[in-house]
Amino acid sequence: MWKVLATTALLITLTACETPSVKNRPGDGTVIIQMGRIGADKVQYRHLDSVNAVRQARGLSNLSLDASLIRAAKSHASDMSAQNRPWHFGSDGSSPLDRLENYGYSGQFIGENVSETFEDDFNTLDVWMNIPLSASIILDPKATKMGIAWHQDSNGKIWWVQLIGS
């Protein structure tokens, strides 16, 4: 029980550190986040801290950011935006494994989580943790590395890609 409380407190603390600003609200009530107000490294480290808090609460080891995974994730986030669909294949037919090879990742591929949303990294992680396959990637005991990146369209839509490896 104390682990759950500690994780919740950590997530609340981390949430308070950087609150994304609301640009406007589309007709469906969804909040559009302006990610440009904070640096990419802050979002990546904040997301890493959140993932590690979830992993620690389950007795798993921490992940670290990997530059190759980040570059592959960033490339795919932009490509998903161009394709206007969140999925695991590039417009050139590439798979996650192809992208990892193209960006020089030599470790083992564990999984890729993708999302199309108007929400920030905390809400996106919450959604992924409520999808059994996505959660199993994040909570894989063999995982040691992570890459997280996004692309934000002019309308505020954010395309998230999280890559996990070991």
Side-chain angles (χ1 to χ4, degrees):
M1 179 69 174
W2 68 270
K3 288 183 180 180
V4 173
L5 292 174
T7 301
T8 302
L10 176 62
L11 289 176
I12 290 169
T13 301
L14 291 172
T15 303
C17 292
E18 290 284 347
T19 303
S21 65
V22 176
K23 183 177 178 185
N24 58 23
R25 293 181 184 267
D28 66 359
T30 305
V31 175
I32 294 177
I33 306 297
Q34 274 189 297
M35 296 302 293
R37 298 187 61 122
I38 56 177
D41 60 332
K42 289 183 182 178
V43 172
Q44 289 165 339
Y45 284 109
R46 182 176 69 191
H47 184 78
L48 176 67
D49 289 344
S50 298
V51 166
N52 283 336
V54 169
R55 288 178 59 86
Q56 287 171 5
R58 289 165 175 82
L60 299 168
S61 62
N62 286 345
L63 304 182
S64 61
L65 290 176
D66 181 89
S68 297
L69 292 176
I70 292 169
R71 287 191 306 271
K74 181 64 177 166
S75 170
H76 190 52
S78 296
D79 191 44
M80 286 191 315
S81 170
Q83 295 181 71
N84 197 33
R85 63 178 168 182
W87 73 325
H88 299 284
F89 296 96
S91 56
D92 60 357
S94 62
S95 71
L97 288 172
D98 296 327
R99 286 189 296 280
L100 294 183
E101 183 178 324
N102 290 342
Y103 285 93
Y105 184 71
S106 59
Q108 179 185 6
F109 173 66
I110 291 178
E112 176 180 68
N113 290 316
V114 298
S115 179
E116 165 194 23
T117 185
F118 287 97
E119 298 187 9
D120 65 10
D121 55 306
F122 291 119
N123 293 319
T124 302
L125 178 58
D126 185 51
V127 169
W128 286 336
M129 290 306 299
N130 285 292
I131 299 169
L133 180 58
S134 296
S136 71
I137 292 168
I138 294 166
L139 299 175
D140 190 303
K142 297 180 304 249
T144 58
K145 304 288 183 186
M146 184 185 77
I148 182 73
W150 70 93
H151 173 85
Q152 187 171 25
D153 293 341
S154 60
N155 68 356
K157 184 185 293 182
I158 305 170
W159 303 87
W160 292 97
V161 177
Q162 179 196 61
L163 289 164
I164 306 282
S166 66

